[in-house]
Amino acid sequence: MLKKTIDIPQNGSTFPFELCQRNLSFGEAGPGKYYWMDGRQFRTESGGSNFRSCVDFWWACAEQANESDDFDNQVNLVLAEIYTLINTSRAMQNVFLDAQLWKPKDESLPSNKSQQSGEKERSLPAAEISRLRQIVDSRNVVEVQNELEQLFLGDQPEEHTRPQFNEEFQNWVLEPLKIFRKGGRQKLHNYIHGELKNKISKLRKRGNNSDSRLFLNMFSYECKVAFYLCYASAWAFILPRLEQYDGLNELSVRFMRMWHHQNQSGEIEGKIYHIFSGQVLSLHPLSAFVLNDSTALSVIGNWVGHLEYQHLIESNQVADSPEYWEVVLIILIAANEYKQSHQKWDESRGKNELVDTPKVEQNASITSDLSVAESIEDYLARRSIFCEECAGLLGYHDPLATGNQGTVNLRCRSCGQKTNMKIDSVDFKKYLVDSSDVENYKD
């Protein structure tokens, strides 16, 4: 995996974006390149450098277009800025499932056999794939969305409580909006990381109030969706620059326009629907199931390499293309495979403990209900501890056979370099306690 930084100018400033890169094969359509941002950084306390670039760049675009006074844009800015307060909380998974799963080393990279043969042994039963095929063959967008909602959509307020939820949401947004309009972005930042942070912390500690928990989870998810709009907007400018200066081919550009695009709400026959609940495919874990499957990439190649691709896009006739619906099928299959993997992961997590003192066990359960593996990986990312070989993210294996408490086996998710490390138990306990105080609560 290669890395590079690309600078995008806008409104008198320059915004750096740190990108990862890998080669892809779209089957008979030909080769391509895939660029992406390290999504794990978005789930650290600061959100990482790309978080700041995405939000600041998006706002610079609004200012450049003289749309900084637009109410919707201001609300989106406020929500996106709040995202760093809640981005480490797993409570949002109760609204829409997009949790990253820890994978063993032999599942983190594409199988050579799969890549050579062009085939993958599906983990879904044939009958299940046939059912998904029937959904796709119906050419009904609502049915596709219903399938995704059944897989990922979580708790929602009762119909009679929704007006109350909407009113509370407006109250939560209007206060920081007033502060922003009066004092600018710095005053907004101070409010978010001061008064609002304390407000969220107090609300989370009232864990016995189900309505309060649900509201905070939904509010948090709206903040994530607001940030995803900033993310997707950045890619609208990044791709042309890559195409111009890196010789990115047409297949690559078309694929990334789809994969980094935010799937916003739409309307069919007067009914509002959410195509993918504001998600970006590249930031959802199902993306890995597609990118590491040569057969799926070939199917995508048939669509992005279609001779009539541009005409179908410009004339809004995408739904007339069988190749497009095959891509939809691939996404549905990947979504089901992810959900199946998540269920297995959820059943097995937490069986091994890194530390076993009562204090740490209590705080670990109060925090984000993470597995030990994910807790360690999150801890390393927050402390900016990366692979010494390639600066890649470190993944957890298992405790060393010697049983030394706090010593773990790690493997780089990028280059595969193995290492072991002694985790500072005092600092790790502090990480757990800090998380429990301001980020998460036990559901």
Side-chain angles (χ1 to χ4, degrees), residues 26 34 251-259 291 300 304:
F26 293 108
Y34 178 56
L251 288 174
S252 305
V253 173
R254 289 176 176 178
F255 170 66
M256 285 188 283
R257 281 177 184 163
M258 172 177 63
W259 223 241
L291 295 177
I300 291 174
V304 296

Side-chain angles (χ1 to χ4, degrees), residues 18-233:
E18 299 174 1
L19 306 180
C20 305
Q21 174 201 332
R22 62 178 283 193
N23 294 324
L24 297 178
S25 173
F26 293 108
E28 294 182 0
K33 289 183 179 180
Y34 178 56
Y35 289 87
W36 74 98
M37 298 182 197
D38 184 354
R40 286 180 61 91
Q41 293 184 7
F42 296 142
R43 298 189 299 278
T44 62
E45 288 180 337
S46 67
S49 60
N50 280 335
F51 169 83
R52 182 45 49 202
S53 290
C54 284
V55 175
D56 290 349
F57 178 78
W58 178 80
W59 189 245
C61 289
E63 291 178 325
Q64 179 71 30
N66 294 320
E67 295 180 353
S68 58
D69 291 332
D70 180 80
F71 176 79
D72 291 336
N73 285 342
Q74 291 182 349
V75 169
N76 195 84
L77 174 66
V78 167
L79 293 175
E81 291 285 6
I82 295 173
Y83 182 53
T84 53
L85 283 188
I86 47 80
N87 62 341
T88 61
S89 172
R90 287 184 54 82
M92 283 184 289
Q93 303 305 316
N94 296 330
V95 176
F96 192 91
L97 183 63
D98 63 347
Q100 296 286 338
L101 309 183
W102 165 65
K103 296 180 180 180
K105 62 179 181 180
D106 56 349
E107 293 182 13
S108 62
L109 298 173
S111 163
N112 291 332
K113 179 179 179 181
S114 172
Q115 292 292 322
Q116 293 171 1
S117 66
E119 298 180 354
K120 173 187 174 183
E121 183 179 350
R122 291 288 179 193
S123 60
L124 295 182
E128 184 66 4
I129 294 180
S130 177
R131 182 184 69 83
L132 298 176
R133 165 67 68 184
Q134 290 178 354
I135 293 175
V136 170
D137 287 345
S138 72
R139 302 294 193 264
N140 189 321
V141 175
V142 175
E143 285 195 29
V144 173
Q145 175 55 23
N146 287 340
E147 174 68 18
L148 292 172
E149 286 187 353
Q150 290 176 16
L151 290 172
F152 300 136
L153 197 63
D155 299 334
Q156 298 290 308
E158 298 290 338
E159 188 69 32
H160 70 279
T161 64
R162 290 185 180 182
Q164 178 184 347
F165 271 70
N166 291 334
E167 181 180 355
E168 188 70 7
F169 176 80
Q170 292 177 10
N171 293 335
W172 273 58
V173 171
L174 288 178
E175 181 63 23
L177 184 59
K178 290 178 183 178
I179 291 173
F180 165 68
R181 287 175 169 176
K182 184 177 180 179
R185 296 188 66 185
Q186 184 58 52
K187 290 289 186 180
L188 173 63
H189 180 272
N190 294 342
Y191 168 79
I192 289 173
H193 293 277
E195 185 177 338
L196 184 60
K197 182 177 181 179
N198 293 332
K199 182 179 179 180
I200 290 176
S201 178
K202 291 178 181 178
L203 187 60
R204 278 182 172 147
K205 291 177 180 178
R206 290 161 50 190
N208 59 339
N209 189 319
S210 59
D211 283 345
S212 295
R213 291 203 314 268
L214 179 56
F215 170 78
L216 184 56
N217 293 347
M218 296 187 68
F219 178 81
S220 299
Y221 192 81
E222 288 299 323
C223 294
K224 176 190 285 189
V225 171
F227 167 65
Y228 281 3
L229 174 61
C230 302
Y231 171 92
S233 298

Side-chain angles (χ1 to χ4, degrees), residues 412-428:
C412 177
R413 292 182 177 276
S414 301
C415 70
Q417 178 73 25
K418 296 180 181 179
T419 186
N420 61 73
M421 182 178 298
K422 176 75 173 181
I423 300 292
D424 186 327
S425 61
V426 174
D427 191 47
F428 188 72

